[in-house]
Amino acid sequence: MKSYRAEAELSIKTGTEPQVYSVEIWHSKPSYYRVNLKNAKKDQSQIILRNDEGVFVLTPALNKSFRFQSDWPQNSSQAYLFESLVRDVLKDKDAVFKSTDKAYVFETKTNYQNNNVIPKQEITFSKKDLAPVSVKLMDPDQNVLVQVDFSNVKFDAKFDKGAFDTKRNMSSAQMEVPTTAEQDKPFSVLYPSDVPQGMERKEEKELQTSSGKRVIVTYNGNKKSFTLIQEKARVSATGTAISVSGEPVDLGFTVGALTEDSVTWSYNGVDYMLAAKGLTQEELLMVARSVYEKSSK
C-alpha cells in the first residue's frame, strides 16, 4: 500500500447526547496525512495536516493554523487511521481474535494518553481486502464511548501535487466553512461536567478586554487545582501559522494542544485554556473533554 483515502463517521457517546462527525482521511507514504473533521451541522471544521513542513491543525473559520513540533500520528492510537489500527493489533501480544463470515475482528489494548478511560478497542477489518470496517473504543466496563464506521476506503489512491499543502487546504476549506463573523455576539460560559473527585468550583471572575469579556473559573480540592479561561476567539487577519508547544490531542469535539499541565483549544468561536496544578494528564483531558455543552453551574 502506497496510499489510501477513506471516509468515516465518528460518534462520541460521552456527553448527554452523542456527537457525530464526518471524517475524511488521506494518507500518502511515507508521512503525508490530511484528516478533515466536520461536525454534523458542518459549521465546525478542522483539518490535521502532516507534510514536509511539520504537523498543522487548521481552523478555517478563524483563518488560523497551529503548527506543532510533533511526531503525530506515531505517538498514540488514532482510531481513524488504518496503519495506526494495524500497529495496535501487532503491538498487543494478548490481542483477542475472531473470524466471522465477512470480517476479522480484534480486541486490543489502546495507546492513548488517557487509556484508563478507554483501555480497549474492537477493530474490524474486511476479509475481502483487509480494509478497516469499524472501531469501537470501550471503557473498562465494555461500554462503547467512541465509534468509527468507515466507508469508501480506497487503497493506492492518487493525489495531486498540492493535496497536502497547508495554504491550499486552508483556502479550499474556507470556501466551505463561513468565517466566524459574530465577533460581537456574547458567548455562553461553559463548565466542565467531569472533574476529579473532591474538586469544586471556587471562584468565577469576568474581566473586560479589548475583544470583549474573558471569564476565569477556578476549581480546587484534594491539593489539586485548575483554572479554565474562556474568551471570544479572534479571526486572524494574516492567516500565518502559530507555533504551539505540546502535542495535538483529539478532544472529541475539536483538536487541542496538550502540554504537561495545560490544554488549549478553540470551539464555536471561543478560545479555551485549561491550566492545572497536581492533575495527571488523564485528569486534565477528562476535564477538557467535558467542557463542550452547557452544564448546570
Side-chain angles (χ1 to χ4, degrees):
M1 183 194 77
K2 294 189 180 70
S3 62
Y4 68 88
R5 66 169 75 206
E7 289 167 18
E9 185 178 88
L10 168 68
S11 310
I12 294 153
K13 304 170 185 191
T14 48
T16 48
E17 280 184 26
Q19 297 201 76
V20 180
Y21 294 82
S22 59
V23 190
E24 186 181 46
I25 306 112
W26 297 357
H27 170 48
S28 180
K29 281 190 170 177
S31 56
Y32 290 167
Y33 290 92
R34 177 187 179 277
V35 178
N36 190 356
L37 295 141
K38 289 181 191 169
N39 71 3
K41 291 184 243 163
K42 304 286 189 287
D43 56 355
Q44 176 80 8
S45 153
Q46 279 182 310
I47 297 171
I48 309 173
L49 265 190
R50 181 174 177 144
N51 54 30
D52 292 338
E53 296 163 21
V55 176
F56 297 85
V57 173
L58 312 184
T59 306
L62 298 174
N63 194 29
K64 280 182 182 169
S65 60
F66 300 93
R67 184 179 185 170
F68 292 83
Q69 295 300 318
S70 168
D71 60 356
W72 182 91
Q74 312 301 332
N75 47 4
S76 76
S77 296
Q78 310 291 338
Y80 34 67
L81 295 183
F82 173 56
E83 61 283 19
S84 175
L85 300 172
V86 173
R87 194 166 58 233
D88 286 350
V89 170
L90 294 173
K91 248 169 121 171
D92 187 356
K93 298 285 177 273
D94 304 315
V96 177
F97 167 73
K98 69 179 183 197
S99 175
T100 67
D101 285 352
K102 294 186 175 175
Y104 298 117
V105 184
F106 291 87
E107 193 173 289
T108 80
K109 293 188 192 83
T110 60
N111 173 32
Y112 287 103
Q113 288 102 334
N114 64 329
N115 66 355
N116 288 356
V117 182
I118 36 178
K120 287 221 159 123
Q121 59 190 346
E122 183 190 276
I123 306 168
T124 303
F125 298 103
S126 162
K127 269 188 175 173
K128 193 172 102 187
D129 57 0
L130 300 181
V133 175
S134 68
V135 183
K136 293 174 183 174
L137 301 180
M138 295 174 285
D139 70 11
D141 299 321
Q142 304 279 325
N143 299 310
V144 177
L145 298 185
V146 178
Q147 182 162 338
V148 181
D149 293 300
F150 289 89
S151 58
N152 301 332
V153 181
K154 187 174 180 223
F155 292 116
D156 295 320
K158 299 277 186 284
F159 297 107
D160 61 26
K161 201 175 166 202
F164 300 92
D165 178 75
T166 312
K167 280 185 181 154
R168 184 171 143 181
N169 273 285
M170 181 65 107
S171 301
S172 59
Q174 283 175 321
M175 290 162 89
E176 289 179 30
V177 177
T179 301
T180 305
E182 300 163 341
Q183 288 297 94
D184 46 356
K185 192 179 160 196
F187 64 89
S188 301
V189 179
L190 300 188
Y191 303 90
S193 52
D194 281 339
V195 298
Q197 216 169 352
M199 295 191 78
E200 290 179 354
R201 189 155 60 95
K202 290 295 180 205
E203 192 181 15
E204 181 173 330
K205 283 193 292 202
E206 188 174 306
L207 308 174
Q208 287 305 314
T209 68
S210 56
S211 57
K213 68 177 178 182
R214 175 182 298 153
V215 178
I216 302 166
V217 187
T218 309
Y219 287 70
N220 59 26
N222 286 349
K223 297 183 178 167
K224 299 174 178 181
S225 65
F226 68 81
T227 301
L228 176 64
I229 300 167
Q230 309 174 42
E231 63 186 299
K232 201 83 184 150
R234 306 193 79 154
V235 175
S236 166
T238 60
T240 49
I242 302 156
S243 289
V244 288
S245 58
E247 289 289 329
V249 60
D250 191 343
L251 297 177
F253 52 88
T254 190
V255 178
L258 174 71
T259 70
E260 205 171 319
D261 49 17
S262 73
V263 194
T264 52
W265 69 95
S266 294
Y267 182 62
N268 272 351
V270 181
D271 283 339
Y272 296 87
M273 180 182 181
L274 179 65
K277 254 191 194 153
L279 267 65
T280 63
Q281 279 200 331
E282 277 176 11
E283 289 173 325
L284 196 58
L285 287 169
M286 174 187 84
V287 174
R289 287 191 168 110
S290 74
V291 184
Y292 66 86
E293 50 191 355
K294 292 188 189 70
S295 60
S296 56
K297 291 193 179 182

